[in-house]
Amino acid sequence: MSIAFSKYQGLGNDFILIDNRHSDTPVIEPEEAVIWCDRHFGIGADGIIFVLPGQQGADYTMRIFNSDGSEPEMCGNGIRCMAKFIAELEGKVDTEVTYQIHTLAGIITPEVMIKGDVQVDMGEPRLSATEIPTSLGMIDDQVVNQSIEVDGKTWSVTCVSMGNPHCMNFVEDANAIELATIGPKFEHHPAFPQRTNTEFVQVIRPDYLRMRVWERGAGITLACGTGACATVVAGVLTGKSDRSCTVELPGGCLQIHWSLADNRV
Ligand code: ZDP
């Protein structure tokens, strides 16, 4: 059987996109995602995204498999890529278009702008320990500047869910962190029952943060949209950043705004 695919990237966070509008079931199994995403023996990508028929009134449904075959609830850069892919499938070029996308994190609304950028209403961050989920702190409480022992060192972390779990570490020098060593130790730490994405963040200015990410199920990636949003929320909760920030990732910059008026990112 042959399956058509497209390849997109957002700041170098790259995805295989599949037009799966004919069925509610993804055309490949999670185990196959591992082979497709392999950078030497496959197509190569951080994940695979399926455009499925809409549910609950949404235009489309997004499902995504990480490169290890696990299924995250949401994917910020991925949904930006998906919006462009759909616009192209629908022949909507050089026009503004907004889609309601059903995800495991609820309805998310990407908007393809006239210049070609994609802006996303990522919804409200989830801050309680149970929602993240993490066993750090009390179940209903926010997890801000909590101590955790990882790799023989005590870290002070702030956790935020954007539908998927993120654990932020504010550090002096983000580039000095040995991501490949420390990342997996956070990802698989028993304090995170669903594993976690892990961010190392350096405050350059309150409106400019530098961030490097170890992604759950994908490892080191060049950018993470949900992670950039979670980073700004964590920056505000810890009093380190403004609500409007540039987040610099290895693959480029994202502009993030956490609205005071409606709590949406
Ligand atoms: O939560 C997870 O398991 C992530 N690996 C999902 C992917 C997040 C992504 N990098 C983003 O931009 O939000 C795609």
Side-chain angles (χ1 to χ4, degrees), residues 146-157 169-173 176-178 182 185-186 189 200:
Q146 284 273 346
S147 293
I148 181 174
E149 189 87 15
V150 182
D151 203 24
K153 201 180 148 198
T154 306
W155 302 77
S156 172
V157 300
N169 292 268
F170 288 90
V171 297
E172 284 291 307
D173 181 358
I177 298 292
E178 294 204 32
I182 194 74
K185 295 188 173 148
F186 273 93
H189 193 285
F200 296 90

Side-chain angles (χ1 to χ4, degrees), residues 13 15 64 66 72-78 164-165 197 215-218 221 223-227:
N13 191 195
F15 304 95
I64 165 172
N66 283 318
E73 302 81 353
M74 232 305 270
C75 175
N77 279 316
N164 56 352
N197 296 286
E215 277 190 37
R216 174 182 70 171
T221 60
C224 179
T226 48

Side-chain angles (χ1 to χ4, degrees), residues 14-200:
D14 60 340
F15 304 95
I16 298 162
L17 274 289
I18 296 181
D19 178 2
N20 210 122
R21 290 176 295 175
H22 58 282
S23 156
D24 291 321
T25 311
V27 287
I28 69 164
E29 300 289 332
E31 306 83 74
E32 292 174 272
V34 180
I35 304 163
W36 282 49
C37 290
D38 187 287
R39 296 201 182 273
H40 303 288
F41 296 98
I43 299 159
D46 293 329
I48 306 192
I49 293 172
F50 303 88
V51 180
L52 304 154
Q55 285 170 36
Q56 297 172 13
D59 300 312
Y60 296 98
T61 298
M62 173 174 84
R63 285 188 62 190
I64 165 172
F65 297 154
N66 283 318
S67 53
D68 76 348
S70 61
E71 180 169 10
E73 302 81 353
M74 232 305 270
C75 175
N77 279 316
I79 209 159
R80 297 198 308 135
C81 293
M82 176 164 157
K84 281 262 183 140
F85 180 56
I86 296 169
E88 229 140 277
L89 289 176
E90 293 182 344
K92 296 200 171 116
V93 278
D94 300 327
T95 100
E96 257 173 33
V97 55
T98 300
Y99 296 107
Q100 303 266 319
I101 309 289
H102 181 257
T103 74
L104 294 176
I107 300 281
I108 307 287
T109 314
E111 179 186 354
V112 182
M113 324 273 279
I114 205 83
K115 289 184 309 193
D117 290 347
V118 185
Q119 172 171 302
V120 185
D121 177 348
M122 299 280 281
E124 301 185 51
R126 298 154 206 200
L127 304 179
S128 75
T130 328
E131 286 175 297
I132 288 164
T134 176
S135 59
L136 296 172
M138 306 291 282
I139 47 173
D140 290 330
D141 287 357
Q142 296 182 3
V143 182
V144 177
N145 292 328
Q146 284 273 346
S147 293
I148 181 174
E149 189 87 15
V150 182
D151 203 24
K153 201 180 148 198
T154 306
W155 302 77
S156 172
V157 300
T158 297
C159 300
V160 172
S161 166
M162 290 304 307
N164 56 352
H166 293 271
C167 172
M168 272 65 60
N169 292 268
F170 288 90
V171 297
E172 284 291 307
D173 181 358
N175 291 329
I177 298 292
E178 294 204 32
L179 259 189
T181 316
I182 194 74
K185 295 188 173 148
F186 273 93
E187 180 182 356
H188 298 284
H189 193 285
F192 303 106
Q194 300 294 326
R195 303 175 17 222
T196 191
N197 296 286
T198 307
E199 284 75 11
F200 296 90

